[in-house]
Amino acid sequence: MNTHHHHPQQQVFIPSDELLDHRSVPLLFSRFLDKPTLLACLRVSRSWFAALEPCLWHSFTLLRDHPSPTPPHQPRQDAQRQQNRTGFHPRRFPTLGSLQRNARHIARLRYFGELPLLKALVPHLNQLRYLEVTRYTEEVKQLLQQNTATLHTLILKGDALIPGDTILIDRIWHHLLNLSALRHIELNSAIVSDYEGTKFGLVCHKLASLSLIDSKLLERPKSDDEFLRLRTLVLERSFLPQEDQPPLFELCPALENFAWRSRSGKLSTFKFLIFLNAGRGESLSGLDLSGSQIVDSDLASIIRLLPGLTRFRASNSLFGSEATRVIAEMRQHQIQELVLLQCPGFGPMEAQVVLTTCSRLRMFSAPVVNAEDMAQLRWGCLGLEELDICIVGTRRLRQTTTPRHRGIYSQLAVLINLRVLRLGEVTDMEEGPFLLDMKLHSGLGLLSTLGRLEVFDCEKLKPVMEFFDLQWLVSTWKSLKTLVGSVHPNFEQRDLSNEFLASQLPNLETYLTQAERSLALAGR
């Protein structure tokens, strides 16, 4: 079995003078397998299933529509199919017996809704490192008490749009104080208060990451040393106390990642610039100001005052030419991640500047890139691993259809390190719709150099790929794990295409839209 593709740097050394129990062999190589390969191994035989079953229970998700556990020995259905099977097929949903056997192996639990099944699991869950729930119930309280030495990450989610579903966090803090391993907290749709006045700060004192999303913070820290260890602070559409008090970021001297996406009013640019001018932002390497109303000149000043900035996100903001110039002149050899989707001030000219100057760029997302620039681009960031671009002006190219497509494909082919490619095209209303042709005769074959590609998103292209185009895809992009976007507009042809892809790349996941993929990921 080929395992080097997943973790080529890892090796297993077995002492030659010790006898190895054959039952431990599957466990040794299971750590090198991804989940689809592991599932395939479970179907080899009942002995392999018994040995590898615990590996599947490291992470477990309970959904509202999760069925009740089936009895351990359910009567067979469709006897003829059972007789014709050639291997062992584990059940899609866990049986009561598998729950009882493997609950102790669960280290990561995600729980959505109110499920009787959780009550059966709770007594056996005492090795949790990650817990994500939608409501703070008695079961969750018991889980916190049982996992005081192991729980590392806690995510509490509610739904602000559902009356009564907002999480009220006041008496929870004394439970969190006992969690010695707790380092990350995310509160979603929560009202954060601390009536006793001190425990909230004591909990925050041991955190490395705090995220408040769609939440209300009613209490401020009582001292300046309660956020000394905080490395990541995320404030997303959350309501904070009065602006005349010191902003939270001023209380975080070791802050490395800061995200501000608030609907309670724009970030106080004046206070933030004072904070940076005082040298307090030297440790900041990741900044997310998506959705902010900070003007382009102030964004440029912020970037100028962050000497260690390597990751910057400002989607749906006023990021424009001045901020681009600062990046190109001062941060061109250090910026690694730049996400600027839906920024009206960031156009094709600014995108070209970034792509030709930022030598260490690994991830780039831009609203538009000019087709003419793309066809003759001198890449400055040949190490790109993730690229999300929409091309505009393909009809303005002087060549006929096939040469202009080949020019774009030949430029993309240079990026041999790409793992994620999201490619789209912006329709020019004056010229009429024109879709980039995703066919071999138009130059698609030039992308054979992208042998590391794992995710290909062509939703915004809506390409028509014939059978031989698909044959090329599965034979060339053997590392492909996710395909987003229809490869054929016809419903029947689309199903046939997906069936062919599934038969050739069994581990490939296909989605019609990016939203569909996001929903699937959220349910895992």
Side-chain angles (χ1 to χ4, degrees):
M1 181 175 296
N2 182 11
T3 62
H4 72 276
H5 172 71
H6 305 290
H7 299 280
Q9 76 280 8
Q10 299 187 24
Q11 299 182 24
V12 176
F13 295 94
I14 303 172
S16 58
D17 57 345
E18 295 183 12
L19 293 178
L20 185 64
D21 187 347
H22 73 281
R23 291 170 296 183
S24 63
V25 173
L27 288 176
L28 283 174
F29 67 71
S30 67
R31 71 188 69 175
F32 302 98
L33 305 179
D34 57 12
K35 189 171 182 180
T37 307
L38 185 60
L39 287 171
C41 291
L42 261 68
R43 296 183 174 91
V44 171
S45 66
R46 291 185 180 274
S47 61
W48 279 45
F49 179 81
L52 295 174
E53 185 186 21
C55 302
L56 292 178
W57 287 77
H58 177 76
S59 179
F60 190 64
T61 300
L62 284 170
L63 302 174
R64 283 187 173 91
D65 57 352
H66 198 289
S68 300
T70 56
H73 303 290
Q74 186 177 13
R76 291 185 178 182
Q77 304 290 332
D78 194 356
Q80 183 65 35
R81 184 181 56 161
Q82 293 289 338
Q83 293 175 0
N84 292 336
R85 69 183 184 179
T86 57
F88 177 66
H89 294 271
R91 302 177 188 277
R92 181 180 178 185
F93 297 108
T95 64
L96 185 58
S98 63
L99 284 173
Q100 294 172 342
R101 288 194 309 271
N102 297 291
R104 61 188 176 89
H105 297 295
I106 298 176
R108 178 186 175 95
L109 176 64
R110 302 172 71 232
Y111 163 50
F112 301 93
E114 296 180 354
L115 297 172
L117 186 58
L118 183 62
K119 295 181 180 180
L121 282 175
V122 165
H124 308 283
L125 298 172
N126 51 22
Q127 297 294 325
L128 288 180
R129 288 180 51 81
Y130 177 101
L131 178 62
E132 180 178 345
V133 297
T134 52
R135 292 185 180 179
Y136 184 65
T137 61
E138 287 298 318
E139 290 78 19
V140 175
K141 177 181 176 181
Q142 185 176 345
L143 288 175
L144 295 180
Q145 294 171 343
Q146 291 177 187
N147 296 273
T148 56
T150 59
L151 194 64
H152 187 266
T153 301
L154 176 64
I155 300 178
L156 296 179
K157 291 185 176 182
D159 192 339
L161 301 178
I162 301 178
D165 202 39
T166 301
I167 300 174
L168 301 175
I169 300 178
D170 45 16
R171 304 298 181 183
I172 190 179
W173 299 115
H174 66 281
H175 296 301
L176 301 183
L177 272 177
N178 297 325
L179 301 177
S180 58
L182 188 64
R183 294 296 179 268
H184 306 279
I185 289 183
E186 178 182 319
L187 304 177
N188 197 317
S189 299
I191 298 177
V192 184
S193 60
D194 180 12
Y195 296 146
E196 299 181 13
T198 57
K199 292 182 178 177
F200 171 59
L202 292 175
V203 171
C204 292
H205 181 67
K206 58 185 178 182
L207 294 180
S209 172
L210 174 64
S211 299
L212 300 177
I213 302 172
D214 287 319
S215 298
K216 293 182 180 180
L217 181 63
L218 302 182
E219 301 291 336
R220 296 299 300 244
K222 299 299 186 290
S223 64
D224 294 341
D225 62 349
E226 292 173 350
F227 286 117
L228 287 178
R229 301 182 181 180
L230 204 66
R231 299 291 184 269
T232 299
L233 176 62
V234 178
L235 303 174
E236 183 172 342
R237 302 184 305 274
S238 294
F239 294 88
L240 304 179
Q242 297 297 322
E243 285 294 329
D244 56 353
Q245 300 185 42
L248 284 184
F249 57 78
E250 290 191 2
L251 306 178
C252 308
L255 200 62
E256 297 174 359
N257 302 285
F258 178 46
W260 175 282
R261 300 184 291 271
S262 179
R263 65 184 178 196
S264 61
K266 67 178 183 179
L267 173 68
S268 175
T269 310
F270 178 71
K271 290 184 178 180
F272 194 45
L273 287 172
I274 291 178
F275 171 76
L276 297 179
N277 268 309
R280 300 285 300 278
E282 291 186 358
S283 61
L284 204 62
S285 60
L287 181 61
D288 187 345
L289 297 177
S290 298
S292 69
Q293 297 302 310
I294 303 176
V295 298
D296 183 35
S297 58
D298 286 338
L299 287 172
S301 299
I302 290 172
I303 296 171
R304 190 179 291 111
L305 293 171
L306 293 175
L309 186 67
T310 59
R311 302 178 308 279
F312 186 68
R313 292 171 176 256
S315 294
N316 194 24
S317 73
L318 300 177
F319 190 100
S321 58
E322 192 167 347
T324 302
R325 180 177 56 81
V326 174
I327 286 181
E329 294 178 357
M330 302 183 64
R331 305 287 177 254
Q332 75 273 29
H333 298 309
Q334 67 184 67
I335 198 75
Q336 299 178 19
E337 181 178 314
L338 197 56
V339 179
L340 302 170
L341 297 173
Q342 298 178 345
C343 294
F346 189 84
M349 185 177 298
E350 288 74 22
Q352 184 184 15
V353 170
V354 170
L355 292 174
T356 55
T357 60
C358 297
S359 59
R360 297 191 62 192
L361 201 61
R362 295 294 180 268
M363 176 181 179
F364 182 60
S365 299
V368 288
V369 176
N370 189 279
E372 187 172 358
D373 295 336
M374 187 72 184
Q376 53 187 1
L377 191 64
R378 293 180 178 271
W379 295 94
C381 48
L382 293 177
L384 269 176
E385 297 178 4
E386 182 169 343
L387 179 63
D388 183 351
I389 59 172
C390 281
I391 299 174
V392 64
T394 51
R395 279 197 172 181
R396 297 174 187 171
L397 296 178
R398 298 177 181 178
Q399 302 95 336
T400 58
T401 302
T402 299
R404 61 188 172 196
H405 289 179
R406 295 183 69 89
I408 294 173
Y409 285 132
S410 63
Q411 291 290 353
L412 292 174
V414 177
L415 306 175
I416 59 175
N417 294 313
L418 274 184
R419 294 182 299 103
V420 179
L421 175 59
R422 298 186 177 95
L423 187 61
E425 184 173 12
V426 179
T427 300
D428 193 322
M429 298 304 295
E430 295 180 359
E431 299 175 349
F434 185 84
L435 300 178
L436 193 62
D437 195 352
M438 296 285 293
K439 293 186 178 182
L440 287 174
H441 66 76
S442 299
L444 181 64
L446 295 173
L447 299 185
S448 60
T449 55
L450 307 186
R452 300 182 182 180
L453 199 64
E454 298 177 4
V455 178
F456 181 53
D457 184 346
C458 55
E459 177 190 353
K460 296 178 182 177
L461 290 179
K462 294 182 173 57
V464 177
M465 300 185 74
E466 303 299 340
F467 181 71
F468 50 85
D469 299 322
L470 292 176
Q471 282 184 313
W472 173 90
L473 187 146
V474 299
S475 63
T476 306
W477 293 345
K478 295 182 179 180
S479 299
L480 197 64
K481 298 178 180 178
T482 305
L483 176 63
V484 182
S486 170
V487 296
H488 204 288
N490 180 276
F491 184 81
E492 182 178 350
Q493 293 294 328
R494 184 189 310 157
D495 286 346
L496 291 174
S497 299
N498 289 336
E499 288 179 8
F500 172 74
L501 291 172
S503 66
Q504 300 298 312
L505 294 176
N507 298 333
L508 181 66
E509 297 178 348
T510 59
Y511 303 95
L512 187 61
T513 64
Q514 182 62 37
E516 181 182 302
R517 184 197 180 200
S518 300
L519 284 175
L521 292 176
R524 292 180 180 177

